[in-house]
């Protein structure tokens, strides 16, 4: 039975893990708190960057000899393999840790097994404390492991009547400075920011992070089927890495030295969303911030590739102009992309709404392959 002290220590570990968002891919974010034999905090740490020491190692170094006989609270099961760093399970055993409490089991076959190694060494091991909170903080990495593609967060800013620009296509600025600053925090936590050629032509966005201390710049990705981007585009200024995704027939001779990738066409005539995500995943991208306009957003929704939605709603009405979401393959109310609202936050005059897709319930199937039908229907 977890005590209040256990919960407090794990909650601090979850908070520590969040400090690594945007800088650890393709590795997970992990936090660790170590208490000594008397239950006092002796050391803390988090995974700061891929290839660097894991959270447990940072915490053990901080704790020193006080770790012996103590407890380690870790947001993810300690790894049991040697990669660019050694196995954390062995480091915990060597330090004399008596008890390990971890929130989420590691689903990767190469790293799992740490709990078993710890138990075999006589360490008391417990799993599941604040599991949902730790999962939420590590959702990008867990999505990538479970689905084999990056986690996608679609962000948009709109008026209360759902317009992202006026009828004349002017859009600066619909939302407040507070909301725009918050978007930079989203960017700082993402591995890649994705826009389409329409947004590029309308806004010439920069897409780099500003105003966030020590932020690792995300990969700027432009989906530009016909390679209409010009060398003067702000995303090609060198402030952050940039990738241009083009179609098979695109002429890219005007883009010497620019990183480009050729992708197949999707069903809607644009580039294949799943091919794009596979390319990004292969490049170590585990989290994508989709900032594209309605056409690109519609393609992602139609492909079933949106894992979270963050909408910034301004207290304004336009009455005309483009909507936030374009064609998404939805033709009837029964096919609506349903969401669960998980958070409402006031940012200056605006409202930020966070939502996640409602899980699709798969009907139970009996041994003969038939879907049971209610006798009352």
């Amino acid at each position: 039975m977890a005590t209040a002290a256990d919960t407090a220590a794990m909650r601090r570990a979850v908070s520590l893990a969040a400090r690594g968002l945007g800088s650890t891919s393709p590795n997970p974010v992990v936090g660790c708190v170590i208490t000594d034999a008397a239950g006092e905090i002796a050391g803390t740490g988090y995974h700061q960057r891929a290839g660097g020491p894991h959270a447990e190692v940072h915490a053990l170094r901080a704790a020193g000899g006080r770790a012996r006989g103590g407890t380690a609270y870790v947001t993810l099961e300690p790894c049991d393999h040697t990669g660019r760093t050694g196995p954390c399970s062995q480091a915990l055993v060597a330090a004399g840790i008596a008890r390990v409490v971890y929130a989420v089991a590691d689903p990767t076959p190469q790293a799992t097994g740490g709990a078993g190694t710890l138990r075999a060494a006589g360490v008391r091991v417990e799993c599941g404390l604040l599991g949902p909170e730790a999962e939420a903080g590590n959702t990008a990495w867990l999505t990538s492991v479970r689905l084999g593609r990056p986690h996608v967060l679609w962000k948009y800013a709109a008026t209360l009547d759902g317009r992202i620009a006026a009828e004349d296509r002017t859009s600066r600025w619909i939302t407040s400075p507070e909301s725009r600053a918050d978007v930079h925090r989203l960017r700082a936590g993402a591995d890649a920011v994705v826009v389409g050629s329409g947004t590029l032509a309308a806004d010439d966005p920069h897409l780099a992070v500003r105003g966030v201390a020590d932020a690792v710049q995300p990969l700027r990705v432009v989906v530009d089927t016909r390679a209409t981007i010009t060398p003067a585009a702000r995303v090609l200024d060198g402030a952050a890495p940039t990738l241009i995704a083009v179609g098979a027939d695109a002429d890219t001779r005007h883009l010497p030295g620019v990183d480009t990738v050729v992708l197949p066409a999707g069903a809607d005539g644009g580039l294949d969303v799943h091919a794009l995500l596979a390319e990004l995943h292969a490049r170590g991208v585990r989290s994508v911030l989709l900032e594209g306009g309605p056409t690109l957003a519609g393609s992602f929704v139609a492909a079933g590739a949106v894992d979270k939605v963050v909408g910034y709603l301004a207290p304004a009405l336009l009455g005309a102009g483009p909507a936030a979401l374009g064609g998404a393959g939805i033709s009837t109310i029964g096919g609506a992309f349903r969401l669960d609202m998980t958070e409402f936050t006031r940012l200056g005059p605006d409202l930020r709404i966070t939502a996640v897709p409602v899980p699709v319930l798969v009907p139970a199937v009996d041994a003969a392959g038939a879907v049971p039908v209610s006798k009352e229907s």
Side-chain angles (χ1 to χ4, degrees):
M1 184 74 176
T3 65
D6 290 333
T7 301
M10 184 62 81
R11 184 156 284 125
R12 183 168 179 181
V14 171
S15 178
L16 286 165
R19 297 183 185 179
L21 286 171
S23 63
T24 65
S25 289
N27 295 344
V29 295
V30 182
C32 178
V33 171
I34 291 178
T35 58
D36 61 19
E40 300 295 325
I41 292 180
T44 63
Y46 67 97
H47 186 38
Q48 300 174 12
R49 59 179 178 82
H54 289 187
E56 297 93 323
V57 174
H58 281 298
L60 287 171
R61 288 175 180 172
R66 294 177 63 195
R68 186 162 297 279
T71 298
Y73 300 87
V74 195
T75 56
L76 185 68
E77 178 185 2
C79 67
D80 200 44
H81 79 298
T82 300
R84 285 183 284 182
T85 60
C88 291
S89 56
Q90 296 291 352
L92 291 165
V93 170
I97 288 289
R99 175 178 175 237
V100 172
V101 181
Y102 66 93
V104 179
D106 193 317
T108 57
Q110 68 269 27
T112 192
T117 295
L118 290 164
R119 290 191 180 97
V123 178
R124 179 181 167 193
V125 180
E126 301 166 26
C127 172
L129 179 62
L130 297 189
E133 290 185 28
E135 282 229 9
N138 221 359
T139 187
W141 181 79
L142 289 168
T143 296
S144 75
V145 171
R146 293 165 178 166
L147 301 183
R149 64 159 176 82
H151 178 274
V152 177
L153 187 162
W154 171 41
K155 160 262 165 187
Y156 71 93
T159 59
L160 284 183
D161 56 342
R163 307 296 177 177
I164 62 169
E167 192 171 13
D168 65 357
R169 294 304 195 262
T170 55
S171 61
R172 294 185 178 179
W173 294 103
I174 283 178
T175 53
S176 65
E178 292 89 345
S179 291
R180 298 197 295 275
D182 195 65
V183 170
H184 282 280
R185 287 189 284 273
L186 289 183
R187 287 180 184 173
D191 298 329
V193 180
V194 178
V195 299
S197 57
T199 297
L200 187 76
D203 299 333
D204 189 22
H206 192 227
L207 302 182
V209 177
R210 298 188 301 276
V212 180
D214 302 320
V216 175
Q217 292 293 347
L219 175 67
R220 300 178 292 187
V221 181
V222 178
V223 180
D224 188 6
T225 306
R226 295 185 294 277
T228 58
I229 187 172
T230 69
R234 297 173 68 210
V235 293
L236 299 179
D237 67 354
T242 301
L243 173 68
I244 311 300
V246 302
D249 298 329
D251 184 352
T252 60
R253 287 176 295 179
H254 64 296
L255 300 172
V258 176
D259 190 7
T260 61
V261 61
V262 177
L263 297 178
D268 61 357
L271 297 185
D272 187 287
V273 168
H274 293 294
L276 172 64
L277 292 175
E279 173 66 25
L280 295 177
H281 192 266
R283 290 171 175 248
V285 170
R286 297 297 178 261
S287 58
V288 164
L289 177 61
L290 178 63
E291 291 198 41
T295 300
L296 189 61
S299 295
F300 270 75
V301 171
V306 171
D307 303 296
K308 181 185 283 189
V309 178
V310 174
Y312 296 87
L313 299 182
L317 301 172
L318 285 172
L325 184 65
I330 301 169
S331 58
T332 177
I333 191 65
F337 183 39
R338 298 289 181 179
L339 302 164
D340 276 332
M341 304 290 192
T342 60
E343 185 183 10
F344 304 85
T345 304
R346 186 77 179 263
L347 294 172
D350 305 328
L351 180 65
R352 183 188 68 196
I353 297 177
T354 303
V356 296
V358 174
V360 177
L361 298 178
V362 179
V365 179
D366 65 19
V371 178
V373 177
S374 170
K375 294 180 180 179
E376 298 177 0
S377 58

